Structures are given as C-alpha cells and as structure tokens.
Amino acid sequence: QVQLVESGGGLVQPGGSLRLSCATSGVTLDYYAIGWFRQAPGKEREGVSCSSSRDGSTYYADSVKGRFTISRDNAKNTVYLQMNSLKAEDTAVYYCAALIGYYCSGYSHEYDFWGQGTQVTVSS
C-alpha cells in the first residue's frame, strides 16, 4: 500500500529554518517524481518544489527559489524539503505528493498519491 507521511513542521520565527521530511512506503522512489505543495487558508494549493526521479532535476516556485532546497534519499525512501529564510507568507500546510513516472509536474491533479500534510507557521 502506498503511504506518504510528512513530518518536521512547526512554529518558527521569520528568518528561521525547518526541514520537512516525506517518508514513503509502498513505492520505489526511483520511479516517482516527488512534489511539495502548500495550501494556506482561503487559497488554492500551489506547487512549491519537485524532484525528478530521472536525472535529479529539481524545480522551484519563484516565491521560494533560493530559499528552499528539495532532496531525496531513494535508499531510505525519503524526500526532504529544507526551508531557509522563512517568511510569514510561507505559512501553510505542506504536502508531499508522488507522481508515477520520471518527470515533474507543477499541477496537483496529476499526482497519484498524497500525504496528510504538516503545518508550517512562520510568526514572531
């Protein structure tokens, strides 16, 4: 059975850092692209980052580029999102999602499996 479980969220001050983890089971990450999405209250879900399984290519939303880094450890079936220089605008529930195939997509409806999300709150 495919399961994705996010962890690492919490409360952090502006300028601080968090590392989110997405632990997967029932999948072989070699064959899945993994995306991170976030959703703030009253807003649509937006793509944050994605890691391709094919060639290590990564993608970032303009709003997080230079601050967030996605990485994967296929042997551990885990994907990470390192978030630095956090801003209040980053406050949201963060989800990891898996897409069957090698290549990334920025569209949430194209992903096959989703975690339950982890809350990230950036506030003084």
Side-chain angles (χ1 to χ4, degrees), residues 13 17 19 24 27 30 32 38 43 53 59-60 71 74 82 86 88 92 94 99 101 108-109 112 124:
Q13 293 184 335
S17 298
R19 188 180 74 164
T24 70
V27 302
D30 293 324
Y32 289 81
R38 67 186 182 187
K43 296 187 177 295
S53 64
Y59 303 89
Y60 300 93
S71 62
N74 287 355
Q82 179 67 45
L86 283 162
Y94 283 71
L99 185 155
S108 61
H109 68 269
D112 299 287
S124 298

Side-chain angles (χ1 to χ4, degrees), residues 57-112:
S57 297
T58 58
Y59 303 89
Y60 300 93
D62 288 342
S63 59
V64 307
K65 195 171 299 181
R67 300 187 296 119
F68 291 11
T69 303
I70 191 170
S71 62
R72 61 165 65 205
D73 187 336
N74 287 355
K76 296 181 179 179
N77 291 323
T78 301
V79 178
Y80 305 96
L81 185 68
Q82 179 67 45
M83 306 186 296
N84 298 326
S85 301
L86 283 162
K87 306 174 181 179
E89 305 94 276
D90 297 317
T91 296
V93 177
Y94 283 71
Y95 301 87
C96 65
L99 185 155
I100 301 172
Y102 296 116
Y103 305 111
C104 284
S105 171
Y107 299 102
S108 61
H109 68 269
E110 295 187 352
Y111 284 76
D112 299 287

Side-chain angles (χ1 to χ4, degrees), residues 31-51:
Y31 306 113
Y32 289 81
I34 302 295
W36 285 95
F37 293 80
R38 67 186 182 187
Q39 188 165 23
K43 296 187 177 295
E44 295 184 349
R45 187 170 298 182
E46 64 173 339
V48 175
S49 184
C50 185
S51 170

Side-chain angles (χ1 to χ4, degrees), residues 15-28:
S17 298
L18 287 173
R19 188 180 74 164
L20 305 184
S21 298
C22 176
T24 70
S25 62
V27 302
T28 302

